[in-house]
Amino acid sequence: MSPNYIRSFSEGCLRPPTVIGQFHTLFFGSIRMFFLGVLGFAVYGNEALHFSCDPDKREVNLFCYNQFRPITPQVFWALQLVIVLVPGAFFHLYAACKSIKQEDILQKSSYTGFYIFSVFLRIVLEVVAFWLQIQLFGFKVSAIYMCDVGALEKKFNITRCMVPEHFEKTIFLIAMYTFTVITVILCVAEIFEISCRRLGFLKTQ
């Protein structure tokens, strides 16, 4: 791929053809990633080290933590961000290879339809991630986690584990749900903006 294609691809990713799309890129690329990268590490970074059970033994703590966290929230949210970026990246790669200018995307029906499809796919991926987050983490992190240690052949099958900083984690969970809802709303609003531009209610850029 030539440098011109790379430049067109990067410009398309950073400067979508709609105003709301550009705001979405700013929100998605700066606020959401900063929140996850900086605050997420501060809240979840040492969770495994401070997760303790009764009896407080390494094998019990490790077994119960793996049961409590089948996947760590940081990894899940990082995967969510990457996967949600894929539809837009594919579209802008296609536009770069076809030498399609950003201002032409909303002028030709085929380009507009392809772009709307990428935005709709983004919505679907966000909704799926929202549902998976509910299944994996719920809406609240409890201070006590009841762990089934029957597989370790312990005397008691259920043991109590202390979850560190559970209140902070609950706040962070709600914040990540909120970010997902905001990005879905922005995607829907972007499709509405495109429709208004195509119908002539708004001037094209």
Side-chain angles (χ1 to χ4, degrees):
M1 184 176 290
S2 70
N4 289 335
Y5 289 155
I6 296 175
R7 183 166 54 252
S8 298
F9 172 72
S10 60
E11 288 178 355
C13 291
L14 296 174
R15 191 176 61 85
T18 63
V19 175
I20 295 177
Q22 293 172 18
F23 180 78
H24 174 270
T25 300
L26 174 65
F27 176 81
F28 193 99
S30 57
I31 301 175
R32 196 174 180 183
M33 288 186 178
F34 174 83
F35 193 88
L36 176 58
V38 177
L39 297 182
F41 179 79
V43 174
Y44 290 96
N46 297 319
E47 183 182 47
L49 296 177
H50 298 122
F51 187 89
S52 60
C53 301
D54 183 22
D56 189 8
K57 294 183 179 180
R58 185 177 184 277
E59 62 171 349
V60 176
N61 292 342
L62 183 60
F63 178 85
C64 288
Y65 182 74
N66 289 335
Q67 188 180 120
F68 175 64
R69 294 290 192 212
I71 180 173
T72 60
Q74 307 101 300
V75 172
F76 175 83
W77 290 319
L79 286 173
Q80 177 186 356
L81 293 180
V82 171
I83 291 173
V84 169
L85 286 173
V86 169
F90 268 118
F91 173 82
H92 293 300
L93 181 62
Y94 167 80
C97 292
K98 294 290 186 179
S99 299
I100 303 171
K101 296 180 180 180
Q102 291 298 304
E103 53 269 22
D104 295 336
I105 292 174
L106 302 183
Q107 301 296 326
K108 192 172 180 179
S109 298
S110 57
Y111 300 156
T112 304
F114 191 8
Y115 184 77
I116 290 177
F117 176 75
S118 71
V119 176
F120 178 76
L121 191 55
R122 226 188 296 157
I123 295 173
V124 173
L125 293 173
E126 288 280 17
V127 171
V128 171
F130 189 92
W131 179 81
L132 285 175
Q133 184 176 334
I134 294 174
Q135 301 304 309
L136 290 170
F137 311 124
F139 290 95
K140 182 181 178 181
V141 180
S142 300
I144 303 296
Y145 174 71
M146 305 305 293
C147 175
D148 184 359
V149 292
L152 293 178
E153 298 181 355
K154 297 296 178 183
K155 184 177 180 180
F156 301 101
N157 287 339
I158 304 296
T159 187
R160 289 160 54 93
C161 299
M162 301 293 294
V163 180
E165 301 169 341
H166 63 96
F167 184 68
E168 291 183 9
K169 292 180 174 64
T170 298
I171 295 175
F172 202 90
L173 270 177
I174 299 302
M176 295 307 293
Y177 281 121
T178 303
F179 285 145
T180 300
V181 170
I182 291 174
T183 51
V184 169
I185 292 174
L186 288 175
C187 289
V188 172
E190 186 175 8
I191 293 176
F192 180 75
E193 179 188 346
I194 293 171
S195 300
C196 289
R197 291 185 183 280
R198 291 289 298 177
L199 294 173
F201 295 120
L202 292 173
K203 293 182 178 179
T204 57
Q205 296 176 300

